[in-house]
């Protein structure tokens, strides 16, 4: 079945870049997403990328997609303490609107 | 973007009582609503898919008699946790797909604590 894998934890210093990685299995996924969840809060959509794109940049966020390897990454430039949160990648299931989420990567930003 | 409003945001109830969670699409019609559950320190897992005017479809392992889903209109889907028990304590969140399923619009989530 479909599966999405992420590393569980990443610690960086304020001002450094953060790179969060994700692998997925469903090659028919049309869109891949990055969500941010702060403690006790809901999900905030950060960005998404269409499967025929290799890269998407949005201010401090850069998403890279390697469709051949089914690998997705999120780079946060100039990471701030306010970026500390759990980051989930998710893939859409055959354009149904259903999402399969990874386990989430906890990003810790040290001052 | 489109807005999905979910209420309540937090609820604490006694074991054995039922809890209703509502998700409303505010500026669009949602023929489909997905319901997810997130246990502490875990990812979000799809529980069920509700479709307006028809029965919900449940993922494997989700008890349809415990998690009652109603999608009576194009703007409202409800999830009722029947006879809740402490093990049902979780974060429940709904989402509606956008146009051509390009995006998922999430509600704010409901943190349910059963004592």
């Amino acid at each position: 079945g479909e599966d999405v894998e992420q590393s569980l934890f990443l610690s960086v210093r304020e001002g450094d870049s953060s790179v969060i990685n994700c692998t997925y299995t469903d090659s028919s996924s049309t869109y891949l997403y990055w969500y941010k969840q702060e403690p006790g809060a809901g999900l905030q959509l950060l960005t998404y990328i269409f499967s025929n794109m290799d890269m998407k940049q949005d201010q401090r966020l850069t998403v890279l997609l390697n469709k051949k390897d089914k690998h997705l990454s999120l780079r946060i430039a100039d990471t701030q303490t306010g970026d500390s949160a759990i980051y989930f990648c998710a893939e859409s299931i055959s354009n149904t609107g259903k999402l399969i989420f990874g386990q989430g990567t906890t990003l810790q930003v040290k001052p | 973007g489109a807005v999905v409003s979910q209420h309540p945001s937090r609820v604490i109830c006694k074991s054995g009582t039922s809890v209703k969670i509502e998700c409303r699409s505010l500026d669009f019609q949602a023929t489909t609503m997905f319901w997810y559950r997130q246990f502490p320190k875990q990812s979000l897992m799809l529980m069920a898919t509700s479709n307006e005017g028809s029965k919900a479809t449940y993922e494997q392992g989700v008890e349809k008699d415990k998690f009652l889903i109603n999608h009576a209109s194009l703007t409202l889907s409800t999830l009722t946790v029947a006879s809740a028990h402490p093990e049902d304590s979780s974060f429940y969140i709904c989402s509606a797909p956008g146009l051509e399923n390009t995006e998922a619009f999430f509600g704010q989530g409901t943190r349910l604590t059963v004592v």
Side-chain angles (χ1 to χ4, degrees):
Chain A
E2 304 89 2
D3 194 21
V4 179
E5 298 280 339
Q6 294 176 244
S7 53
L8 296 181
F9 186 78
L10 175 66
S11 180
V12 300
R13 292 217 172 270
E14 191 174 18
D16 288 348
S17 292
S18 308
V19 179
I20 302 171
N21 294 300
C22 173
T23 57
Y24 61 98
T25 57
D26 188 351
S27 58
S28 66
S29 291
T30 312
Y31 291 90
L32 295 129
Y33 305 83
W34 283 103
Y35 286 89
K36 177 183 180 182
Q37 186 179 40
E38 297 186 46
L43 291 177
Q44 175 192 352
L45 177 65
L46 289 177
T47 186
Y48 63 90
I49 188 167
F50 189 49
S51 59
N52 69 353
M53 297 168 65
D54 298 322
M55 186 185 86
K56 182 178 179 182
Q57 187 158 2
D58 183 3
Q59 299 181 336
R60 291 191 297 124
L61 305 179
T62 303
V63 179
L64 295 178
L65 175 60
N66 182 327
K67 196 172 181 182
K68 174 176 169 289
D69 294 338
K70 298 193 186 77
H71 182 266
L72 182 73
S73 68
L74 173 70
R75 179 176 180 270
I76 305 173
D78 188 23
T79 313
Q80 303 297 306
T81 53
D83 295 323
S84 294
I86 301 175
Y87 291 81
F88 291 95
C89 69
E91 61 170 343
S92 61
I93 301 303
S94 304
N95 215 27
T96 61
K98 292 183 191 179
L99 299 185
I100 300 293
F101 287 85
Q103 310 94 311
T105 300
T106 297
L107 175 64
Q108 179 189 66
V109 182
K110 296 180 180 178
Chain B
V3 175
V4 174
S5 178
Q6 182 172 348
H7 294 279
S9 58
R10 289 180 183 273
V11 60
I12 300 173
C13 70
K14 290 185 178 180
S15 188
T17 60
S18 295
V19 175
K20 181 187 278 190
I21 302 169
E22 292 188 348
C23 275
R24 294 181 184 274
S25 55
L26 295 188
D27 49 3
F28 69 105
Q29 294 181 330
T31 55
T32 300
M33 193 75 76
F34 299 108
W35 288 92
Y36 296 84
R37 176 170 56 182
Q38 183 185 30
F39 289 111
K41 300 190 186 301
Q42 294 188 27
S43 189
L44 290 89
M45 300 298 292
L46 181 65
M47 297 174 64
T49 303
S50 75
N51 296 291
E52 187 267 336
S54 64
K55 288 185 179 180
T57 55
Y58 291 81
E59 297 299 304
Q60 193 172 11
V62 178
E63 300 173 59
K64 62 181 180 181
D65 294 331
K66 169 170 271 296
F67 299 100
L68 306 171
I69 289 174
N70 185 282
H71 197 147
S73 78
L74 289 171
T75 57
L76 175 63
S77 176
T78 61
L79 167 68
T80 300
V81 183
S83 186
H85 290 284
E87 58 266 29
D88 299 322
S89 298
S90 187
F91 184 72
Y92 295 86
I93 193 165
C94 60
S95 83
L99 195 63
E100 297 179 3
N101 295 323
T102 56
E103 189 174 347
F105 300 105
F106 281 86
Q108 301 91 325
T110 298
R111 189 161 301 282
L112 170 64
T113 304
V114 185
V115 297

